Amino acid sequence: MPSTTVNGRHLLKNYPSGYPIPGTTTIYDTSERLDLDTVPLNGGVLAKLVVLSIDPYLRNTIKGNAPGSVQLGQPLTGFGIVKVIRSEVPAHSTGDYLSVNGLYHQEYSIFTKDQLSSAELLKADNRLPLSVHLGAAGPTGLTAFAGWKEFAKVKKGDTVFVSTAAGAVGSLVVQLAKLESLKVIGSAGSDEKVKFLKELGVDVAFNYKTTDLRDVLKKEGPIDLYWDNVGGDTLDAALENASTGARVIICGSISSYNHAATSAGVKNLLHLTSKEINLYGLSYFALAPKYDAEFKKTVIPKLADGTFKYLEDRKFGLDQAPQAMLDVQNGGNTGKSVIILSDD
Ligand SMILES: NC(=O)c1ccc[n+]([C@@H]2O[C@H](COP(=O)([O-])OP(=O)(O)OC[C@H]3O[C@@H](n4cnc5c(N)ncnc54)[C@H](OP(=O)(O)O)[C@@H]3O)[C@@H](O)[C@H]2O)c1
C-alpha cells in the first residue's frame, strides 16, 4: 500500500487591489498529496523545499491580467533552496542542495532536466546559516554588490543616500559605501531599523515616518549617489537634493507595488538635465553573471567573518508565507524575509 505525503503549497487565491491579505490573497493549501517513493521523475529530480525567499517583487507577479502574472489557484514562484530526494540526473545526487530561481512555492517539486538549468549546486559557506545563501550571501547580496560595482562610480568625499537602508539589499549597500569611507544617509521605517543603521556606521540614520525627508536631505546633502529602493516621492526628494553629476541607481519602487493606481509619479525629471544626473536601472538578472564570482570571493567571506552584518526575518513553515508576503510590503519585516521549512 503506497503511502502519500502532503505537498503543502502557497497558492494565489485572489488578486489583491492593495496590500496582499494573508488567507485572502494567498493561502497555504494542503490538498495535494504525492508518493515520494514512486512519483515518476521522467529524467528529472524530486526535491524538498528547505528555505524559501519572500521578496518584494512577488507582489508584482500577482497583478491580475498583467503579462506573466501567476494565475488564480496556482502556486507563486520565486527563489529557494531545495534538497534533492531522488534523482535521475547524473549531475545531481540525493542530498545535494540546489539554489533555484523560479521554483514553485510548494514543499516538494519535480524539476525536469531543462528546469534545472536555472538551478545552481549550492556550495554553502558552513560558517553561515543555509538561509543566508538566499539573502546577504545570495541573490539579495549580489543585487547590492553588482549594482554598486556597475553604477556607483563613487569618489572620495561623496555623499550617498540609501532608502529602505535597513532592508536586505539596502543594509549591504550602506556597508559597501562605508567601506569606502563615504558619508551615508539612510532612511528606514522604524526606530528599531534606525538603530541597526547606526550599528552599521550610517552617518545620518532617520525614520522617514517621523522625520521630514526633505529637511534631512537639504541639511545633509547634496547627494552624489542615491540608491533608490522606493521610487515615488522619495525619488523626487532625492532629485531635488542631488548634486551636479549625481548618479541614481533605480533598484526598486516599492512605494508603488501596492498602490499602482495612486502612486505618486516622479515630478522632478527636469533636474536630470539641469544637474546632469544619470539614472541607472538595475536588473539582478542582467548583472548577476558578471559579478557572481567576485561576489562569492569578496563579500561572502566578509559576511562569514562578521565584517559585513545582516539581519534575517525568519518564519517557520510554508503556512507562514502569506503573512511574510504582507510583511515585506508594509515594513513588518526586519531583515531578509525567509521561510525555513526544514533544516535537513
Ligand atoms: N532591481 C533588482 O534586480 C532588485 C533585486 C532585489 C530587490 N530589489 C528591490 O529592492 C528593494 C528592497 O528589496 P529587499 O529585498 O531588500 O526588501 P526589504 O528592504 O528587506 O523589505 C522591503 C522593505 O521596503 C520598505 N517599504 C515598504 N513600503 C514602503 C514605502 N511605501 N515606502 C518606503 N519603504 C517601504 C519596508 O522597509 P521600511 O520599514 O524601512 O519602510 C520593507 O521592510 C525593493 O524595492 C525590491 O523590489 C530589486
Side-chain angles (χ1 to χ4, degrees):
M1 177 86 174
S3 71
T4 58
T5 301
V6 170
N7 189 14
R9 298 177 299 160
H10 180 216
L11 304 181
L12 177 62
K13 185 147 189 265
N14 292 292
Y15 295 117
S17 57
Y19 286 108
I21 303 167
T24 297
T25 304
T26 63
I27 56 164
Y28 176 66
D29 172 88
T30 56
S31 63
E32 187 173 283
R33 303 185 73 93
L34 79 174
D35 185 327
L36 301 178
D37 297 322
T38 61
V39 62
L41 305 187
N42 300 318
V45 307
L46 171 66
K48 179 180 183 181
L49 186 58
V50 178
V51 191
L52 180 67
S53 178
I54 300 294
D55 294 291
Y57 82 89
L58 290 174
R59 176 62 182 82
N60 297 329
T61 69
I62 52 172
K63 285 204 161 151
N65 295 326
S69 173
V70 175
Q71 297 301 301
L72 294 181
Q74 294 300 308
L76 277 71
T77 62
F79 289 91
I81 294 173
V82 299
K83 186 177 182 182
V84 175
I85 298 176
R86 288 170 47 211
S87 176
E88 293 176 357
V89 178
H92 297 302
S93 310
T94 301
D96 281 355
Y97 287 94
L98 308 177
S99 182
V100 189
N101 171 30
L103 54 65
Y104 286 128
H105 285 200
Q106 56 190 38
E107 287 160 359
Y108 298 92
S109 291
I110 294 162
F111 298 97
T112 64
K113 214 172 163 192
D114 284 352
Q115 287 168 330
L116 288 169
S117 62
S118 64
E120 181 187 340
L121 182 64
L122 187 65
K123 295 193 186 90
D125 186 314
N126 57 20
R127 292 171 295 174
L128 293 166
L130 198 60
S131 52
V132 177
H133 295 85
L134 279 184
T140 308
L142 181 50
T143 300
F145 181 73
W148 184 265
K149 295 289 288 189
E150 184 78 6
F151 302 123
K153 301 182 181 107
V154 285
K155 57 187 184 318
K156 197 165 174 266
D158 275 357
T159 296
V160 179
F161 170 43
V162 183
S163 53
T164 315
V169 172
S171 59
L172 187 55
V173 173
V174 301
Q175 292 178 86
L176 291 167
K178 285 315 299 176
L179 207 60
E180 303 203 33
S181 304
L182 304 171
K183 175 177 175 180
V184 179
I185 306 169
S187 63
S190 74
D191 293 346
E192 184 194 1
K193 292 179 184 181
V194 168
K195 188 165 168 268
F196 176 53
L197 291 180
K198 289 182 178 158
E199 285 165 21
L200 297 181
V202 169
D203 302 274
V204 182
F206 68 101
N207 181 341
Y208 68 89
K209 291 179 179 166
T210 55
T211 307
D212 188 88
L213 167 69
R214 282 178 173 77
D215 285 351
V216 176
L217 297 185
K218 204 168 166 192
K219 178 163 175 264
E220 304 292 346
I223 301 156
D224 303 299
L225 172 68
Y226 171 44
W227 184 289
D228 185 24
N229 286 318
V230 168
D233 188 57
T234 310
L235 174 54
D236 254 337
L239 294 175
E240 286 164 27
N241 291 283
S243 64
T244 298
R247 284 87 56 213
V248 176
I249 301 174
I250 308 288
C251 177
S253 303
I254 197 164
S255 69
S256 69
Y257 296 176
N258 299 279
H259 314 285
T262 56
S263 70
V266 180
K267 301 183 211 77
N268 284 322
L269 289 181
L270 199 57
H271 289 289
L272 266 55
T273 52
S274 60
K275 295 185 198 167
E276 301 172 71
I277 299 169
N278 283 304
L279 249 59
Y280 300 100
L282 161 55
S283 161
Y284 163 80
F285 295 106
L287 292 183
K290 183 171 172 186
Y291 292 104
D292 185 51
E294 189 181 351
F295 171 75
K296 285 180 173 138
K297 203 169 141 199
T298 62
V299 176
I300 294 182
K302 284 192 170 60
L303 290 163
D305 72 15
T307 307
F308 285 151
K309 314 246 178 311
Y310 62 87
L311 292 177
E312 283 190 310
D313 192 298
R314 293 173 145 226
K315 290 186 168 46
F316 295 88
L318 192 57
D319 58 327
Q320 295 301 306
Q323 182 63 46
M325 284 281 290
L326 174 61
D327 287 352
V328 294
Q329 299 301 326
N330 70 8
N333 67 316
T334 299
K336 173 74 196 97
S337 176
V338 286
I339 307 278
I340 314 287
L341 286 99
S342 161
D343 53 9
D344 65 4

